[in-house]
Amino acid sequence: ELREDRKFVSLRGATGTGKTFVVANVIAEHEKPVLVVVPNKTLAAQVARELRGYLRTSHLVELFVSHFSVYIPESCRGGRYVEKRSAVDPDLDALRHRATRALVEAKSTNRTPVIVASVSCLYGLGLPSDFVDAALFLGKDGEVGQYGNAEKIINKLETECLYERAPAFGAVERGQFRTRNKGTDQVEIRVWPPYSNEHVDITLDKHSGDFLEGKRIVYNEKEQQHETEYINAMTIWPRVHYVTPKERVTMAVKSINEELVCREHELREEDAVLEADRLRQRVSADLEMLRDIGWCPGAEHYSRHLRGAKPGEPPVTLLDYFSHENNEDWLLVADESHVMLPQLRAMSGGDKSRKESLVKYGYRLPSALDNRPLTGDEFWQRVPKCLLVSATPGDDEHEWSGGEEGSVDMLVRPSGILDPPTEVLPKKNQLPKLASMIEKRARKGEASLVCALTKADCEDLAAYLTGKGLRADWMHSELAAPERAKRLAKLQLGELDVVVGAQLLREGLDLPRVSLVAILDADVSGFARSSRSLMQMMGRAARNKSGEAVLFADKETDAMKSALKEVERRRRKQALHNEKYNVTPKSATQGSESSERSLFDIMSEEIDAEKMSVGTMLSKSSSNNSDNNNHGGTINDEEVERALERWRQRREPNSEGFIRATTKTKALERKMKEDALAERQKRENQAYMEKDGTILGDLMDASGKSSSSSLGNAEAILTKHYGFDEATISRVKKIREMQKTLPAKCGVYRFLDKNGKSLYVGKAKSLRSRTSSYLTPGVLDNSARHRALLYKAESIDCVLTPGGEADALALEARIIQRERPRMNILLKDVPRSEAAYIVLSPDGKMFVVNSSSKETSDPRTFDNKWIFTQTTYREARNLSRSVDTALDLRGARFRVRYGDQDATETLNNRITAARLIFENKIGEAMEHVENTCANEDPRIVDRLKSLSNTRIQNLEDSKSNGSVVSFFS
C-alpha cells in the first residue's frame, strides 16, 4: 500500500513471483499517471507489453526510449575533435510522440497514461506549454480554436506545427502533409502525424476555414478489417518536441551573442586566441541560421537561451509533461531498482565531463553545459511518490523505504516453482562437464544459459560448444539490440540449445525453456560476481520447475556465501507455502514475446488510442530519409538549403569567409612569404638545371683557377666552403647527370661514397624532384649537412616501389637498419615505425608491436617469446590474425585457461605450426598439422590450406607488381 506519509515503498520480489502483476494492480487502484523507469530498451518493451495486457481498458500504456539508432556524441579528447553523428529510428520516434501526446491529452480522454521509459526520460525536451500552444485544434464544436481561412491553417501547420510538405510523388514520411482542392470552395489536407502510421484527411472550407470533415483509417478488431472512421474534431500535434516561438528565438539570438562576446573576451585574456577565433566562427554561423530559419544543427546546445532559462537551471524533461497536466500528482515505478538507481545518478557526470572539454577548447559556449540530463537529486525532487521494485534491492532502497517497515517481501511464485537449487563445482575440466550438462538438457527439449566473465570468453565458449555438436550462440553488448532479441527468441523457440553471455543475461529475461544457468569464474571478486549479480543470474532458471544453477569455482567467496544463503532461505519459505496449500510446481508455458519482435511491433498492437492499423509500415526509403527529423524548422525548401550551405562554409575550418581581420591579415602575410621562398627556390633549381653545360667554365677564371666570386650554383657553394677541387667539381657534375636521369616515380634513393657504401638513404614520391633539392644553392648554402653529403658523394642510385609510399617507407627502414648510413643522423639507431614484430608467447598469445614503440624498448616484451619481423604493421597484424583464425589458437587458449587438460597438448602443437608459418615453412607446417591436429579438428587442414594459398598468391602479386617489400619480407 502507498501511504500518504511515505514517499518510497520497496517491493522485494524474487524472479517470477509476479512483480509486474502487483505493479499493474497498484497502478489500477490509484488511477493516476505513472512513469515506469527501466534500465534498457528491451526490458522497457517487455514491461510495456505486460502492463498493456493487464491494463488494457483503463490505461493507455506508451513507450518512451531513446530514438537514436546510432549516436556518437560531440566530444574533444586529447586535442582531437569528434563531431556529433546520429541516426533517428522513425519507429522509436513515433513511440516518443505517442507518449507525450498521451500525457498532454490525459484530461480529455478517459484513459490514464502509463509511460514506460528508459534513462532517456532524464534528457531535455521542448517546453510542454510551447508544445500544446503550437498544436492545431480542429472540429465542428464551437469551442475549438478558429484560425481564419484555409490558407492560414495550412500556414500554421507548416510554420508552427513544423510539418513539411510531402513530395508530389514517391514515399512520404511521418510529419509531412499534402493539400489538394476539392471543387472551388473546399480544400483537403492529408496529414501524416509523427505519432501514427496512417494518414488523416481534413476537409476545410477554403474561405472561412471551417472544419467540414475529418476521416482516418482504423482497424476493426471484431471484423478484422480496415474501416474508414469519420470524426467531428481532432488535434494535430507538432512534428517535433522542440517548438520555439519566433519572438523567443529573437531574444535567444541576442542572449547567445552577448554570451559569445563575454566568453571570447575571457579566452583572449587567457591568450587562447585560436580557441576564441574558433568559438566566434562556429557560434556566428549558428546565429545566422537561427535568424534565417529559427533552427541550426546542434540547436540543443542553446536550449537554455531558447527557453529563456537561467544559468544552471535544470532542463525540461519528460517529467515536466507529467506535471504540466497532472499538478505533480503522479507515481514513479523504478523497475530493477538495484540497476536503475545507480544509472539515474551517473548519467549527468559523464555528460558534464564531455561538455567541459568542448567549452575549454572553444567548440561550445559555457551555456552548453545546461543542455544536460537531470542530476540524481533533481530527478528525485520532482518525484512525488515512488515504488522501488527489485529481486535484489540495494542499500539505497532499504534506507529510503525505512527498512522492513517500508518493504514488501514477495517470495512465493504463483507457479509454485522454488528458487533453483545450486551446486558449486571445481574449475578442473569444467568445459567438458558443462558441455555434458547442456547436452543432457537439450535431449529433453530444455535450454541453458551460460554466464561468462568477458566478451571474448562468450565468443570462445560458444565456438567450443558448437564444436561439441551443440546449437550454441553468444550475446554481449557489441551485438545490436535487435540481434540480441532474435537470438533469445531462437533459444525460447528451441532453435538454440544454449546462449553464452556476460552482463546481458542478468535482469529481465523471461525464458521458461531455460532449465540450467551455469556461471563461470564465480569466485572472481568484483561487481560482475557480486552477491546481487549471482542472485540475478541464478534467477533466470526460476521459471522452469527443473531449473538448476551451477557455479564453477575453486573457492567460496563472501559474495557466493551470501547468495547461496539467500537462496536456501527462499527455498525453505517457498517449500513451506507449497506444502501448506498443496501447490504442485508447474513450468511457465510462454515466455516474453519481446525477445522476437521489434519495440515498435510490441507496442503497436493496441498502443494507439484510436486502434489504428499498424500492418503497413513505412517503406525503407522513407526510413532512410528520416534523419531529417531534427529539432524544429522545415529543412527541405530552397531557402533552408541555402542557409545550410552558408552555415557549412562558415563552419569550415579552412574557409576564409569568417576569419577575424587581424588573423586573416597575418595568415595572408605568412602565405605570401612562403610563396616567395618557394618561388625563389624554384628559380634557383631551374637556373642550375639550365646552366649545367657552362658551370665548369663559369667557375674558372682566365688562368684556369676557380672564381670564388661566382656563387650561383652547387659547385660554387662547395668551392666557397671546401676550396677549389677539380675532382669535386667533376663528381658534382656526374651526380647532376645521374640525378636528371632518375624517374619521377615513387621509390628509395641512396647517395654512395667512393667505396660504394651508403652515405644517406631516403624515400620520395618523385625521385627526380626530391633529389634535385640536394643540388639547390639555397639549400647547400644554409645546411652544412647537405654540403658534406654532396662533397663526399660519388654517385646516386634508386629503387622503384610500385607498391606506393608504404612500400617506400618500409624499404627505407630496412636499408637503414641493414647498412647504417653515416648521414642518416635521425634514423641511424632508430628503425622506422612501419616495420613491426609479431610476438608469440609459449601460452599461444600473439601481439604485434611497432619496431619503434615503447614496448620494443622494454626487454620484458620479448622475454621467453618468439619474435618474427614483418615489413609493415598492417602486414604483421593481418598475418597474425589469419594464423590465429586458421589454427584456432584463441579457442585452444580458452580451453586451457578453463581447465581442459586435453587441450594443453593441442595448444602446443598449434603453436609449433604457427612458428613454422611465420618462418615461411608452409610445407612443414601443413605436415605437422596433418600429423598432430587433423584428428581432433578435421577442418583445420582446409583452413590452413586456404591461408597458405592466399599468402602465396599475395607474394606472387607483389612480385609481379615489382614490390621491393615482398622481396625483403
Side-chain angles (χ1 to χ4, degrees):
E1 180 183 356
L2 298 178
R3 291 164 29 187
E4 293 295 329
D5 61 340
R6 189 178 295 280
K7 181 175 181 177
F8 295 98
V9 174
S10 176
L11 176 60
R12 184 174 56 208
T15 301
T17 55
K19 296 189 293 295
T20 306
F21 177 74
V22 173
V23 169
N25 279 275
V26 171
I27 293 173
E29 180 181 345
H30 286 75
E31 296 184 351
K32 60 177 66 175
V34 178
L35 172 63
V36 183
V37 289
V38 294
N40 57 64
K41 290 181 180 180
T42 304
L43 185 56
Q46 178 177 316
V47 171
R49 182 190 65 84
E50 293 174 357
L51 290 177
R52 184 64 190 165
Y54 294 133
L55 306 170
R56 181 181 300 271
T57 57
S58 59
H59 291 68
L60 188 59
V61 180
E62 304 286 359
L63 190 65
F64 189 92
V65 295
S66 172
H67 59 316
F68 291 113
S69 57
V70 176
Y71 184 74
I72 300 175
E74 184 182 31
S75 62
C76 182
R77 297 292 184 194
R80 181 189 176 195
Y81 173 73
V82 177
E83 195 168 4
K84 174 185 172 181
R85 286 177 287 167
S86 62
V88 174
D89 186 318
D91 293 339
L92 296 182
D93 191 52
L95 294 176
R96 289 165 65 93
H97 278 279
R98 293 177 189 269
T100 51
R101 184 182 68 155
L103 290 171
V104 295
E105 288 183 345
K107 289 185 177 179
S108 60
T109 62
N110 295 324
R111 303 175 73 187
T112 306
V114 177
I115 311 300
V116 182
S118 64
V119 289
S120 185
C121 66
L122 297 178
Y123 287 83
L125 281 179
L127 286 167
S129 56
D130 291 343
F131 186 76
V132 173
D133 292 343
L136 183 62
F137 300 96
L138 298 172
K140 298 179 180 179
D141 192 341
E143 296 181 0
V144 298
Q146 299 296 323
Y147 305 103
N149 58 29
E151 183 178 351
K152 292 183 179 180
I153 292 177
I154 294 172
N155 182 64
K156 178 178 175 64
L157 183 67
E158 193 168 5
T159 60
E160 296 186 31
C161 294
L162 302 175
Y163 281 73
E164 301 173 350
R165 286 188 178 272
F169 302 98
V172 294
E173 303 173 4
R174 301 185 186 100
Q176 293 184 335
F177 72 96
R178 285 178 181 152
T179 59
R180 71 182 182 94
N181 292 322
K182 294 179 67 175
T184 58
D185 299 326
Q186 296 179 6
V187 61
E188 182 184 77
I189 308 174
R190 175 164 290 184
V191 183
W192 284 266
Y195 39 81
S196 173
N197 279 326
E198 304 296 341
H199 61 263
V200 177
D201 291 332
I202 304 168
T203 303
L204 304 173
D205 185 280
K206 184 180 294 186
H207 305 291
S208 66
D210 291 342
F211 180 85
L212 302 178
E213 181 184 76
K215 60 182 180 180
R216 59 191 172 192
I217 305 298
V218 297
Y219 186 71
N220 188 322
E221 290 185 337
K222 293 182 179 179
E223 302 294 333
Q224 293 189 352
Q225 64 181 10
H226 295 85
E227 296 179 351
T228 300
E229 179 185 19
Y230 293 88
I231 46 183
N232 295 323
M234 66 173 59
T235 302
I236 304 297
W237 296 99
R239 181 178 68 86
V240 294
H241 288 108
Y242 287 88
V243 183
T244 307
K246 290 183 178 179
E247 58 273 13
R248 198 184 301 149
V249 172
T250 303
M251 295 174 60
V253 168
K254 181 180 178 181
S255 176
I256 294 169
N257 192 59
E258 291 174 354
E259 185 185 11
L260 171 61
V261 172
C262 181
R263 177 59 179 166
E264 184 182 8
H265 177 73
E266 291 177 1
L267 290 172
R268 296 192 184 280
E269 286 290 320
E270 298 170 0
D271 201 26
V273 179
L274 177 62
E275 287 78 5
D277 287 345
R278 178 187 294 139
L279 186 66
R280 163 66 65 175
Q281 177 177 328
R282 293 171 62 87
V283 177
S284 297
D286 290 343
L287 287 176
E288 182 174 345
M289 280 204 71
L290 284 171
R291 293 189 191 99
D292 290 346
I293 59 176
W295 171 86
C296 71
E300 65 273 11
H301 292 291
Y302 306 112
S303 59
R304 191 186 83 193
H305 299 280
L306 291 171
R307 62 188 174 93
K310 298 178 181 178
E313 190 172 321
V316 175
T317 64
L318 182 67
L319 275 65
D320 293 276
Y321 282 75
F322 276 89
S323 303
H324 178 71
E325 290 289 337
N326 303 291
N327 299 320
E328 299 187 1
D329 184 20
W330 54 278
L331 172 67
L332 173 73
V333 177
D335 194 24
E336 305 292 355
S337 60
H338 64 285
V339 177
M340 199 67 245
L341 267 58
Q343 270 192 1
L344 294 173
R345 283 195 298 264
M347 298 308 294
S348 60
D351 183 85
K352 182 179 179 181
S353 174
R354 179 173 57 83
K355 297 277 180 59
E356 285 177 342
S357 180
L358 292 170
V359 171
K360 177 182 177 181
Y361 292 104
Y363 289 100
R364 290 293 171 193
L365 290 170
S367 58
L369 293 170
D370 289 325
N371 172 43
R372 58 176 176 83
L374 290 172
T375 64
D377 292 340
E378 291 168 345
F379 178 84
W380 292 114
Q381 288 172 4
R382 286 161 172 71
V383 175
K385 281 192 178 299
C386 178
L387 175 61
L388 305 168
V389 182
S390 174
T392 55
D395 297 334
D396 286 340
E397 293 95 311
H398 189 267
E399 179 183 350
W400 292 358
S401 59
E404 294 298 328
E405 183 181 352
S407 300
V408 178
D409 215 8
M410 287 183 62
L411 298 180
V412 177
R413 297 181 177 87
S415 61
I417 297 177
L418 279 62
D419 271 32
T422 58
E423 182 180 6
V424 180
L425 298 177
K427 293 182 178 180
K428 185 177 181 180
N429 287 327
Q430 58 184 321
L431 296 184
K433 294 177 184 177
L434 177 62
S436 176
M437 294 177 184
I438 297 172
E439 184 182 8
K440 186 184 300 182
R441 281 162 176 78
R443 285 199 297 265
K444 295 189 294 183
E446 298 171 352
S448 305
L449 291 178
V450 181
C451 302
L453 200 58
T454 67
K455 297 176 183 179
D457 287 348
C458 293
E459 299 176 16
D460 293 339
L461 182 54
Y464 170 81
L465 294 173
T466 300
K468 294 295 183 180
L470 297 167
R471 297 175 298 172
D473 214 332
W474 54 267
M475 189 176 77
H476 55 61
S477 60
E478 292 185 9
L479 198 65
E483 186 60 31
R484 295 179 212 162
K486 289 180 181 178
R487 295 188 182 185
L488 291 176
K490 288 181 179 180
L491 184 71
Q492 178 60 25
L493 295 173
E495 297 177 18
L496 289 176
D497 298 324
V498 59
V499 167
V500 185
Q503 299 301 314
L504 294 177
L505 298 184
R506 287 177 51 195
E507 294 87 9
L509 297 184
D510 186 2
L511 302 166
R513 187 168 170 267
V514 172
S515 64
L516 171 67
V517 172
I519 304 174
L520 303 181
D521 294 310
D523 54 356
V524 174
S525 300
F527 171 77
R529 295 295 182 263
S530 66
S531 175
R532 294 190 184 93
S533 297
L534 293 174
M535 288 291 299
Q536 289 287 346
M537 288 184 281
M538 291 188 291
R540 297 312 104 205
R543 287 178 169 83
N544 191 299
K545 64 179 182 180
S546 303
E548 181 184 0
V550 177
L551 287 70
F552 289 97
D554 288 333
K555 61 180 180 180
E556 197 170 279
T557 62
D558 292 340
M560 290 175 60
K561 293 177 182 177
S562 176
L564 297 176
K565 182 179 179 182
E566 176 64 15
V567 168
E568 288 303 315
R569 183 186 75 86
R570 292 181 176 184
R571 284 177 59 83
R572 285 195 299 269
K573 284 193 173 184
Q574 292 159 353
L576 288 173
H577 176 272
N578 290 352
E579 183 179 350
K580 181 177 180 180
Y581 295 99
N582 196 25
V583 176
T584 302
K586 296 180 180 179
S587 298
T589 57
Q590 184 177 0
S592 170
E593 295 180 18
S594 67
S595 61
E596 55 184 304
R597 307 170 68 192
S598 71
L599 300 185
F600 191 77
D601 288 339
I602 293 168
M603 299 302 297
S604 62
E605 288 180 350
E606 301 171 20
I607 199 170
D608 198 332
E610 296 82 12
K611 300 186 184 301
M612 289 184 177
S613 167
V614 294
T616 306
M617 300 297 293
L618 295 177
S619 65
K620 290 185 177 180
S621 60
S622 173
S623 298
N624 290 336
N625 294 328
S626 65
D627 289 349
N628 291 332
N629 290 349
N630 289 319
H631 303 310
T634 56
I635 62 174
N636 284 332
D637 55 24
E638 294 182 2
E639 178 186 357
V640 176
E641 287 299 327
R642 289 194 297 270
L644 274 170
E645 184 61 30
R646 291 196 299 271
W647 177 82
R648 294 189 189 100
Q649 292 175 356
R650 281 166 167 73
R651 293 290 286 270
E652 178 63 37
N654 297 324
S655 171
E656 295 184 2
F658 201 90
I659 302 178
R660 290 177 56 86
T662 54
T663 307
K664 183 174 181 179
T665 302
K666 292 178 181 178
L668 291 176
E669 290 176 354
R670 185 166 56 251
K671 189 174 186 301
M672 290 174 63
K673 290 180 180 179
E674 293 174 352
D675 290 344
L677 179 61
E679 183 64 27
R680 189 182 72 181
Q681 291 179 347
K682 182 178 179 181
R683 287 197 304 269
E684 291 174 346
N685 192 21
Q686 291 176 346
Y688 84 78
M689 292 289 288
E690 293 171 357
K691 296 179 182 179
D692 59 9
T694 58
I695 287 177
L696 186 58
D698 293 341
L699 288 170
M700 302 292 181
D701 57 17
S703 62
K705 295 186 178 181
S706 169
S707 171
S708 62
S709 61
S710 178
L711 299 176
N713 45 55
E715 289 85 339
I717 299 298
L718 294 181
T719 299
K720 173 185 174 182
H721 288 276
Y722 297 107
F724 176 74
D725 182 2
E726 289 187 9
T728 301
I729 301 300
S730 177
R731 287 200 310 272
V732 173
K733 184 174 181 180
K734 177 184 175 183
I735 290 174
R736 181 180 288 109
E737 293 294 338
M738 299 173 72
Q739 180 271 325
K740 289 168 62 177
T741 64
L742 295 180
K745 295 182 178 181
C746 185
V748 176
Y749 60 90
R750 297 188 302 173
F751 283 94
L752 305 175
D753 63 13
K754 60 182 179 181
N755 298 319
K757 293 184 177 180
S758 296
L759 289 170
Y760 182 83
V761 177
K763 56 90 183 172
K765 290 183 180 179
S766 172
L767 291 167
R768 183 188 304 164
S769 175
R770 180 69 183 91
T771 53
S772 68
S773 65
Y774 291 90
L775 297 165
T776 305
V779 174
L780 291 171
D781 200 28
N782 294 311
S783 172
R785 185 162 160 244
H786 282 79
R787 290 195 301 271
L789 174 62
L790 192 59
Y791 183 73
K792 297 176 181 179
E794 188 75 26
S795 62
I796 183 172
D797 68 359
C798 71
V799 178
L800 298 182
T801 54
E805 195 173 5
D807 277 8
L809 283 167
L811 179 59
E812 179 193 24
R814 285 294 186 88
I815 296 176
I816 290 172
Q817 271 188 304
R818 186 181 62 186
E819 299 186 359
R820 299 289 183 179
R822 286 179 288 166
M823 303 299 292
N824 283 84
I825 297 175
L826 296 178
L827 299 175
K828 184 173 182 180
D829 297 314
V830 183
R832 295 302 295 260
S833 61
E834 285 72 23
Y837 301 127
I838 298 177
V839 183
L840 176 63
S841 62
D843 61 357
K845 291 183 179 178
M846 274 191 296
F847 58 92
V848 178
V849 294
N850 280 324
S851 55
S852 61
S853 63
K854 293 181 179 179
E855 291 91 341
T856 308
S857 60
D858 186 352
R860 292 173 297 180
T861 302
F862 305 118
D863 282 350
N864 302 317
K865 299 180 180 71
W866 296 283
I867 300 98
F868 307 94
T869 305
Q870 297 297 316
T871 307
T872 65
Y873 184 86
R874 176 181 292 182
E875 181 182 343
R877 182 188 59 190
N878 292 341
L879 179 59
S880 64
R881 288 178 177 176
S882 300
V883 171
D884 198 341
T885 302
L887 297 175
D888 193 21
L889 287 171
R890 176 174 162 179
R893 292 196 306 270
F894 170 79
R895 291 166 56 192
V896 171
R897 189 169 68 252
Y898 276 91
D900 188 346
Q901 295 179 338
D902 297 335
T904 303
E905 184 179 356
T906 300
L907 178 61
N908 292 333
N909 289 329
R910 298 186 182 190
I911 292 173
T912 302
R915 291 171 54 193
L916 292 172
I917 293 173
F918 291 140
E919 294 170 359
N920 285 329
K921 300 176 181 179
I922 304 295
E924 295 182 29
M926 290 288 297
E927 183 180 355
H928 176 77
V929 167
E930 290 175 353
N931 294 333
T932 60
C933 306
N935 292 333
E936 182 180 3
D937 184 2
R939 293 174 297 176
I940 192 173
V941 177
D942 295 332
R943 294 197 301 267
L944 197 56
K945 286 181 179 179
S946 177
L947 170 64
S948 173
N949 294 335
T950 302
R951 182 158 174 76
I952 292 173
Q953 184 63 44
N954 290 339
L955 290 174
E956 290 179 352
D957 290 344
S958 299
K959 290 178 181 179
S960 64
N961 292 332
S963 172
V964 181
V965 176
S966 64
F967 171 76
F968 275 97
S969 63

